[in-house]
Amino acid sequence: MASSKICIVIAIAAVFAPSILATEFMIGDETGWTTNFDYQAWAYGKEFHVGDKLVFRYPPGVHNVVRVNGTGFEKCEAPAGTEALTTGEDTLTLTSPGKKWYICSMGNHCKSGNMRLTITVLAELGSPTASPSPSPVSAAVATGRTGLSGCGGWIAVAIAGIPGIVMV
């Protein structure tokens, strides 16, 4: 009985481990989100993963944060209907891999003040980089034929379920 409780705790820990591994990035470090700062140099060499958080700190009413596409980034323009973040302490969780673009849409802050950031988000740490296909373990769990017993079975099932949870 006690060993099955330990197995369940270990399985739960395996499921939540990726969120524990997430990194919080303060954009611009102590400088924050402001004009005349090289955000591309700041991002250079950093690895951003699904689950990580970006924190944009700036004086409210002076700047904002707008997520745009590549064209909006190049032109320093937010597409119509795009909602700006304006709290001065905006936290964004990276939810999918790929290119991400952010600008300040106040005045000419993006064009002449260089308030723009582009990053490439990688798959979550510990997850497969390719699109997940049902693993033999998750398929077996779905049919109830795992052939696994004891603590190892619980842990294998929990770990096999992580990519499905993350990639939704």
Side-chain angles (χ1 to χ4, degrees):
M1 178 79 143
S3 67
S4 66
K5 287 182 182 179
I6 291 171
C7 290
I8 292 170
V9 168
I10 291 170
I12 290 170
V15 169
F16 290 104
S19 64
I20 294 168
L21 298 174
T23 301
E24 187 173 282
F25 291 95
M26 181 67 59
I27 304 302
D29 295 324
E30 62 279 345
T31 302
W33 184 237
T34 190
T35 55
N36 302 314
F37 184 85
D38 188 347
Y39 291 100
Q40 294 319 117
W42 172 84
Y44 182 78
K46 290 178 173 61
E47 280 194 6
F48 301 94
H49 292 270
V50 170
D52 287 348
K53 296 177 187 291
L54 304 180
V55 180
F56 291 83
R57 275 202 185 130
Y58 55 91
V62 176
H63 303 299
N64 64 22
V65 180
V66 181
R67 182 169 175 202
V68 296
N69 58 22
T71 303
F73 181 81
E74 290 301 318
K75 293 182 176 182
C76 280
E77 294 176 0
T82 304
E83 195 169 321
L85 304 173
T86 59
T87 68
E89 179 96 16
D90 300 313
T91 301
L92 302 170
T93 301
L94 301 173
T95 59
S96 62
K99 285 276 230 188
K100 309 296 178 206
W101 301 271
Y102 305 93
I103 66 170
C104 175
S105 65
M106 303 286 278
N108 279 333
H109 294 186
C110 178
K111 283 185 182 174
S112 59
N114 201 32
M115 281 190 78
R116 55 182 167 172
L117 168 69
T118 182
I119 61 172
T120 300
V121 179
L122 305 173
E124 189 166 26
L125 287 173
S127 71
T129 56
S131 297
S133 57
S135 70
V137 173
S138 59
V141 170
T143 62
R145 292 185 223 131
T146 63
L148 300 171
S149 62
C151 195
W154 279 101
I155 294 170
V157 169
I159 291 172
I162 290 173
I165 292 168
V166 171
M167 300 306 284
V168 172

